[in-house]
Amino acid sequence: MQLKGKIAIITGAASGIGREIALTYAQEGATVAIADINLAAAQKTADEIIAAGGKALGVAMDVTDEAAVNAGIDQVAAAFGGIDILISNAGIQIVNPIDQFSYADWKKMLAIHLDGAFLTTKAALKYMYKDNRGGTVIYMGSVHSHEASPLKAPYVSAKHALLGLAKVLAKEGAAHNVRSHVICPGFVRTPLVDKQIPEQAKELGISEEEVVKRVMLGGTVDGIFTTVEDVAQTALFLAAFPSAALTGQSFIVSHGWSMQ
Ligand code: NAD
């Protein structure tokens, strides 16, 4: 019960990595708000947690919509009495070479990955700064916060930018007992990645098997995918860590694909 009594809000938690973090946090005693653009799926995850004896709430939230973000965070704080942990995790992927990337898709990627991180942080800080209650903000970065790959200009740009946001928050938040981190996973088999495999095969003119073996796992030390459990355990460790000895940092979870 490493998070007993803590109140966590996790964006994009209806699926994949966010969902696993929600389940792990609930098992460790946290009350968990599952915020997602897909409310039905978010509620399903919340119901699963409640059925297992935990406390959870599904929250409708498009992280690019300032009013929806503020309303969702206010709803969680009103329901549970505050916010201790924010995981800014919602994300999508669109792959294309830069010369063919539409401006609309560029802006959509930046809006979800970067504006969403800013908006949810700002809304959560209102509660974390109150009486210096404090808290932990974790951004879901990527190995692409440190490395580049072809076809992913806005994704790589936004994931790099999260490192900057986390560092500023570490400095500003310290006086209010707020810490920040970026978790940087390698490839994890979620719907986000499954969708990319045929898309990358088409763009790069190689087979889907080659995309997995070469593009996704070629740089790892053992050819193995990172799992949602690996990322959730990292998120648990960081949220449970007792002091600001760890703040403003990024943690790469990638089977050695990136070592920094
Ligand atoms: P996923 O597709 O399984 O889940 C993403 C969730 O985000 C979905 O439930 C979706 O409904 C939600 N979402 C999308 N747009 C939203 C919006 N505007 N507002 C609110 N919710 C929205 O994907 P995942 O692989 O679990 O990805 C989660 C995060 O992890 C993303 O930020 C992604 O970039 C990052 N990441 C994933 C991998 C990977 O290999 N899967 C690797 C590194 C980083």
Side-chain angles (χ1 to χ4, degrees), residues 12 14-17 36-37 61-63 89-92 112-113 140-142 155 159 185-188 190-193:
S15 172
I17 291 171
D36 205 285
I37 200 165
M61 184 188 289
D62 176 349
V63 298
N89 165 79
I92 63 164
I112 295 175
H113 288 278
M140 199 51 62
S142 163
Y155 188 82
K159 292 299 192 190
F187 281 100
V188 182
T190 66
L192 181 142
V193 160

Side-chain angles (χ1 to χ4, degrees), residues 146-160:
H146 296 276
E147 314 280 349
S149 291
L151 311 179
K152 296 189 175 175
Y155 188 82
V156 170
S157 302
K159 292 299 192 190
H160 272 66

Side-chain angles (χ1 to χ4, degrees), residues 5-79:
K6 298 289 184 194
I7 299 150
I9 179 160
I10 305 166
T11 69
S15 172
I17 291 171
R19 181 176 185 281
E20 187 64 26
I21 295 173
L23 298 177
T24 303
Y25 276 19
Q27 275 164 14
E28 292 293 333
T31 298
V32 186
I34 319 287
D36 205 285
I37 200 165
N38 183 344
L39 178 60
Q43 196 52 55
K44 209 168 148 224
T45 304
D47 289 344
E48 207 178 306
I49 289 170
I50 293 163
K55 275 177 83 179
L57 176 70
V59 177
M61 184 188 289
D62 176 349
V63 298
T64 69
D65 177 340
E66 184 176 13
V69 169
N70 290 341
I73 300 246
D74 288 348
Q75 181 193 346
V76 174

Side-chain angles (χ1 to χ4, degrees), residues 24 36 52 63 108 120 124 137 141 159 176 194 198 229 233 242 260:
T24 303
D36 205 285
V63 298
K108 186 175 177 186
T120 51
V137 177
K159 292 299 192 190
H176 307 282
D194 286 339
E229 290 83 4
Q233 286 303 317
Q260 313 250 354

